[in-house]
Amino acid sequence: MDEKTRDDLLQLFRSKFNRAMRFYLESCTRCGTCTDACHVYASTGQTKYIAAYRHELIRRLYKRYFKARGHLWPSLGEARELTDATIEELYEAAYSCTGCRRCMVYCPFGIDTQMLMSIAKLLLIGKGAEPEILTLLADTSIEKGKSMELFKEGFLTGIKRLEAEVVKQWQTEAGEAAIPVDVEGADLLYVALAGAHSIIPAAAVFNAAGEKWTLSFFEAVNFGAFVGDPSKTKLILDRIVNEAKRLKVKEVCVCECGTAYRVMKYLSGSQPFKVTSITEAHARYLKEGRIRLDKTKFPGPITYHDPCQIARNAGVIDEARYIIGHLTDDFREMTTDARYNWCCGGGGGLVALGDETLDFRMKSSRVKVDQVKATGATILSTACENCHTQLSNLNDHYKMEVDVQFLSSMVARALVPA
Amino acid sequence: MQTVYYIILVPMVYLAFGVFIVGIIARIAKIWREPPNPTPLLIHPVKKPGWLWTLTDTFLFPTVRRHKPVLWVFLMAFHICLLLLLIGHLELLADFALFQVIPHEIFLGNGFVGLILAICLLYFLFRRFVSPVKDLSVPEDYYLLILLFLVVIFGSEMDWARSWYEYGEMTVEDYRSYLLSLLVFKPELPYSTTFSGHSFMLILHVFFANLFLMFFPFSQLMHAILSLPMNKLRRG
Ligand code: HEM
Ligand code: SF4
Ligand code: SF4
């Protein structure tokens, strides 16, 4: 690696500094309490997957380039040069970490591994060594934000097709407006994913609840966050913030996508609208009696996988239980304490990388499979696209023989017609 | 030899405390000048009141108790003894009515504080020779533990000699006059502190303690100070 590249990378490193990051960089005692926290380590037993081992890689660079110690006595903290070999190690550490933050629950200081890995991800981008596909997808999202008019036509045609679907399945009265788009003054802006499964059931529930809603032009998923690019994350987010402001909605409701929800909730700043997840919206409709569910629709025990970015990292926990309470009398918890739920193993962009990471995802998530099996449930529900894909893959690979379902779809299917 | 003793017991102590205090302030100032993180870093569900749970996390290490119970026992013993040690050293300077609420002799703990600390340090050290903690550790971690062990063992020696073997040549009064003279910047070394048979214990204790203090601001020991704000971030 030449001098210039290294300087540029260190500049990127520095750009990640803030108070919390400095805390995390300064204080690990390497006590090993976090050892058993990571599902990758728990499933594979390989030291390089221990949370503290991962962030010590970052810390070694920090000691070398940002502390006097690294010059005076580098071996003291095993300070390391930034080289091509280091970059490879960073890749291994960052793209085997799902950013679930389960280790943060274990650490006596609460060191945030996801945050430290974001330095690794940014250095990888700087070096052009990140997974290209994620950058590509992020750029596509941003492009779409810039030239919305170009996409509008195709989008609206697609929606028309889906509307027919909604009407057919739920016999909605308001045939044409089954999926309202671009409605100024609507109460709620729903940000979905590309794909009928994320739009059709949601539409059915909104309509049943009599919500004044409108569908966003944009997909919720934030590839900028997966690849760890702060400016792209922000650009992708801003598309939706701007749309919400333009339509003057009171609420932005994010579909079942953990990362999108967390980014939207915590990064959008103070805005005239509130941010909710679709799980929260559904729980609210139930509470207010705006929708009713048929408990006989899903026979058999149901368990629920808390998506890390929605539960542990954004606080939507009880709402899911409340909804499931209306779907079954036989709910099986995976853990007694939501903070300790195992990650599905698909976060941090791993699922988005598809087949490339499939083998790793299966090996690294054995503990999740054991946890699901122990519940004895036949339906495995969840509220995140990534988790759903990963759990379905696990279901096939480990022959778990459960039915993997989106919670929102279950709500839609169990709707009792008014 | 007396010159070396003098250097360790007087100028080096000043230097060590200077580096310790200025170092910590400078490091903290540098960290606090950074902007806060743009997003909250909470772990949910959040329990109220957040500040109370933050204190619990910081001083009782509940997560260690849950996941590494044996380590927790040693950690608690270690950190409590550290606190007692601090009180013990303050009492070498002067009498504090506050600390004598439970009447005790000076030095506090009758030699057992040091003993427990030494045992804990050996435990911390040896667990670092076993995987996976071994694979996480860096030389700094071992050096710190060894250094602290040396501080503790020579410090304890003086206490043990007095409390258990009635060695009476170096007394609390001697230490007190030495330390007070340092405090008022009129350093004076009582004859017994540098000329009695056990003087070398004091010299070594102070020497290693000086090194420890000077290393503190630049090492992972900053966890002692940063633990509170970090736990606050997690608890909200
Ligand atoms: C004056 C304050 C403190 C001092 C001098 C101190 C010193 C030490 C030392 C010397 C160790 C052993 C390090 C090692 O094993 O390498 C240690 C370990 C530790 N301390 Fe502290 N500490 C202080 C305060 C705290 C506080 C406030 C916390 C709160 C969370 C804390 C939590 C820990 C933990 C979790 C370890 C892990 C030990 C290990 O296995 O290494 N300490 N501390
Ligand atoms: S539990 Fe925290 S302090 Fe201990 S090794 Fe892990 S990250 Fe470091
Ligand atoms: S954030 Fe999750 S995946 Fe990453 S090291 Fe921690 S426990 Fe493992």
Side-chain angles (χ1 to χ4, degrees):
Chain A
M1 186 181 302
D2 59 69
E3 203 69 19
K4 169 91 174 61
T5 316
R6 182 170 301 136
D7 286 349
D8 290 348
L9 291 182
L10 292 175
Q11 205 52 46
L12 286 177
F13 198 128
R14 183 171 289 123
S15 76
K16 294 296 282 186
F17 286 163
N18 60 42
R19 213 174 290 156
M21 193 66 96
R22 289 271 195 184
F23 292 162
Y24 298 148
L25 285 166
E26 292 285 345
S27 347
C28 176
T29 61
R30 290 164 289 273
C31 68
T33 305
C34 57
T35 303
D36 304 316
C38 182
H39 62 278
V40 188
Y41 178 76
S43 297
T44 65
Q46 282 178 274
T47 312
K48 63 177 173 183
Y49 297 131
I50 296 175
Y53 189 92
R54 296 176 197 270
H55 39 79
E56 197 58 27
L57 294 175
I58 305 287
R59 216 170 269 117
R60 282 173 185 169
L61 296 173
Y62 176 69
K63 285 182 241 188
R64 171 68 185 77
Y65 294 105
F66 300 101
K67 290 186 81 163
R69 271 176 59 173
H71 298 285
L72 301 174
W73 193 0
S75 68
L76 183 62
E78 293 182 355
R80 273 282 275 295
E81 296 280 333
L82 181 58
T83 62
D84 290 332
T86 334
I87 291 286
E88 264 173 50
E89 280 181 347
L90 291 182
Y91 188 99
E92 172 73 23
Y95 283 97
S96 63
C97 170
T98 59
C100 69
R101 292 163 104 228
R102 189 172 189 268
C103 45
M104 188 167 171
V105 179
Y106 280 59
C107 176
F109 312 113
I111 292 179
D112 186 339
T113 308
Q114 185 189 34
M115 211 164 128
L116 288 164
M117 286 300 106
S118 76
I119 294 182
K121 288 193 166 183
L122 192 60
L123 294 186
L124 289 169
I125 294 176
K127 186 72 175 42
E130 85 281 14
E132 273 167 40
I133 179 78
L134 293 183
T135 299
L136 212 68
L137 289 166
D139 289 342
T140 312
S141 300
I142 294 168
E143 209 39 57
K144 193 168 163 187
K146 281 192 202 135
S147 41
M148 208 169 87
E149 295 307 318
L150 242 59
F151 294 91
K152 215 165 180 171
E153 199 72 23
F155 180 74
L156 292 176
T157 325
I159 293 301
K160 277 279 162 290
R161 272 207 316 277
L162 296 182
E163 280 198 321
E165 196 74 16
V166 178
V167 174
K168 193 170 90 216
Q169 281 191 43
W170 281 274
Q171 286 130 20
T172 315
E173 308 266 325
E176 265 177 306
I179 304 180
V181 179
D182 218 14
V183 181
E184 202 176 311
D187 285 338
L188 178 149
L189 175 70
Y190 176 58
V191 197
L193 291 170
H197 66 283
S198 171
I199 301 177
I200 296 180
V205 179
F206 286 135
N207 293 337
E211 185 67 81
K212 278 173 68 189
W213 70 291
T214 178
L215 178 68
S216 171
F217 276 113
F218 304 110
E219 291 120 53
V221 58
N222 196 319
F223 291 106
F226 283 150
V227 74
D229 187 324
S231 47
K232 286 184 182 165
T233 306
K234 191 79 176 58
L235 283 172
I236 295 175
L237 172 69
D238 282 347
R239 304 171 313 165
I240 299 165
V241 172
N242 292 337
E243 187 183 27
K245 284 200 225 159
R246 182 171 58 82
L247 298 177
K248 303 188 186 65
V249 296
K250 300 193 189 91
E251 177 177 354
V252 171
C253 179
V254 182
C255 66
E256 292 170 313
C257 173
T259 305
Y261 175 59
R262 184 154 170 241
V263 169
M264 192 77 210
K265 179 163 170 174
Y266 288 133
L267 263 185
S268 55
S270 110
Q271 298 291 354
F273 52 82
K274 64 173 179 173
V275 177
T276 55
S277 69
I278 190 167
T279 310
E280 288 168 289
H282 287 181
R284 189 174 70 217
Y285 299 152
L286 281 169
K287 226 165 247 167
E288 293 171 357
R290 289 161 72 177
I291 55 172
R292 284 189 302 125
L293 302 181
D294 176 2
K295 255 190 196 172
T296 61
K297 207 74 178 189
F298 297 98
I302 301 178
T303 187
Y304 176 73
H305 166 73
D306 274 310
C308 302
Q309 306 307 346
I310 290 179
R312 172 164 50 243
N313 299 336
V316 180
I317 298 166
D318 298 338
E319 290 84 350
R321 274 78 188 162
Y322 183 78
I323 296 172
I324 296 172
H326 288 79
L327 287 168
T328 182
D329 290 322
D330 190 358
F331 172 58
R332 312 270 176 96
E333 280 286 6
M334 292 193 191
T335 51
T336 46
D337 184 338
R339 293 177 305 164
Y340 286 101
N341 185 42
W342 285 113
C343 173
C344 66
L350 292 189
V351 159
L353 289 171
D355 282 349
E356 195 184 315
T357 57
L358 186 63
D359 185 49
F360 174 77
R361 283 190 279 123
M362 297 301 104
K363 281 191 195 132
S364 61
S365 311
R366 206 177 31 76
V367 287
K368 183 78 228 176
V369 175
D370 295 341
Q371 196 186 31
V372 173
K373 282 185 179 158
T375 65
T378 53
I379 296 176
L380 168 54
S381 59
T382 191
C384 169
E385 177 83 10
N386 260 304
C387 300
H388 186 275
T389 308
Q390 164 75 356
L391 292 171
S392 305
N393 290 343
L394 287 173
N395 195 21
D396 296 340
H397 185 83
Y398 287 96
K399 316 239 175 327
M400 290 201 286
E401 292 175 0
V402 291
D403 184 9
V404 185
Q405 290 271 359
F406 283 108
L407 189 57
S408 67
S409 303
M410 292 172 75
V411 171
R413 277 181 47 202
L415 275 178
V416 178
Chain B
M1 210 53 210
Q2 288 298 316
T3 326
V4 176
Y5 281 12
Y6 181 81
I7 290 174
I8 291 174
L9 287 181
V10 180
M12 193 180 172
V13 174
Y14 283 130
L15 176 71
F17 272 91
V19 172
F20 179 72
I21 293 164
V22 176
I24 288 183
I25 293 174
R27 312 260 16 247
I28 299 276
K30 178 155 187 177
I31 294 173
W32 246 267
R33 268 205 307 274
E34 301 278 5
N37 197 56
T39 60
L41 294 162
L42 297 171
I43 289 284
H44 296 269
V46 177
K47 284 203 233 169
K48 300 272 171 205
W51 62 269
L52 190 64
W53 288 103
T54 303
L55 290 178
T56 317
D57 285 353
T58 306
F59 294 106
L60 298 178
F61 324 143
T63 70
V64 184
R65 198 181 72 176
R66 180 165 175 158
H67 303 293
K68 295 271 183 277
V70 180
L71 174 63
W72 183 79
V73 171
F74 283 98
L75 272 180
M76 280 319 276
F78 176 80
H79 286 94
I80 290 170
C81 286
L82 221 50
L83 188 68
L84 296 178
L85 213 59
L86 189 72
I87 297 175
H89 282 87
L90 284 176
E91 284 186 319
L92 281 184
L93 278 170
D95 288 319
F96 292 87
L98 177 69
F99 297 143
Q100 286 294 349
V101 171
I102 304 164
H104 57 261
E105 262 179 52
I106 296 174
F107 201 95
L108 186 72
N110 205 13
F112 284 99
V113 172
L115 186 65
I116 295 172
L117 277 172
I119 294 171
C120 291
L121 284 165
L122 286 179
Y123 172 77
F124 293 150
L125 187 61
F126 285 114
R127 73 186 281 278
R128 287 201 186 272
F129 286 101
V130 182
S131 283
V133 186
K134 179 176 146 196
D135 309 311
L136 301 176
S137 304
V138 300
E140 164 185 354
D141 306 331
Y142 299 92
Y143 292 156
L144 270 177
L145 289 171
I146 293 168
L147 188 56
L148 208 53
F149 181 78
L150 291 170
V151 177
V152 167
I153 209 74
F154 288 108
S156 302
E157 252 302 316
M158 289 186 284
D159 200 8
W160 295 339
R162 221 180 37 256
S163 327
W164 299 349
Y165 304 109
E166 279 128 32
Y167 178 82
E169 271 184 58
M170 286 158 68
T171 61
V172 169
E173 282 65 42
D174 293 330
Y175 301 135
R176 191 167 280 185
S177 69
Y178 158 58
L179 289 171
L180 279 177
S181 78
L182 283 182
L183 197 64
V184 297
F185 295 101
K186 292 203 184 77
E188 239 175 82
L189 295 177
Y191 182 80
S192 67
T193 53
T194 48
F195 283 99
S196 55
H198 278 196
S199 290
F200 76 97
M201 305 263 190
L202 179 67
I203 309 297
L204 288 174
H205 178 65
V206 173
F207 177 70
F208 290 122
N210 286 341
L211 289 185
F212 178 78
L213 287 176
M214 288 192 282
F215 189 31
F216 190 103
F218 312 101
S219 71
Q220 49 119 311
L221 290 171
M222 286 299 279
H223 76 252
I225 293 161
L226 299 182
S227 177
L228 192 72
M230 285 163 86
N231 273 305
K232 184 79 177 71
L233 288 177
R234 174 169 59 178
R235 284 291 187 180

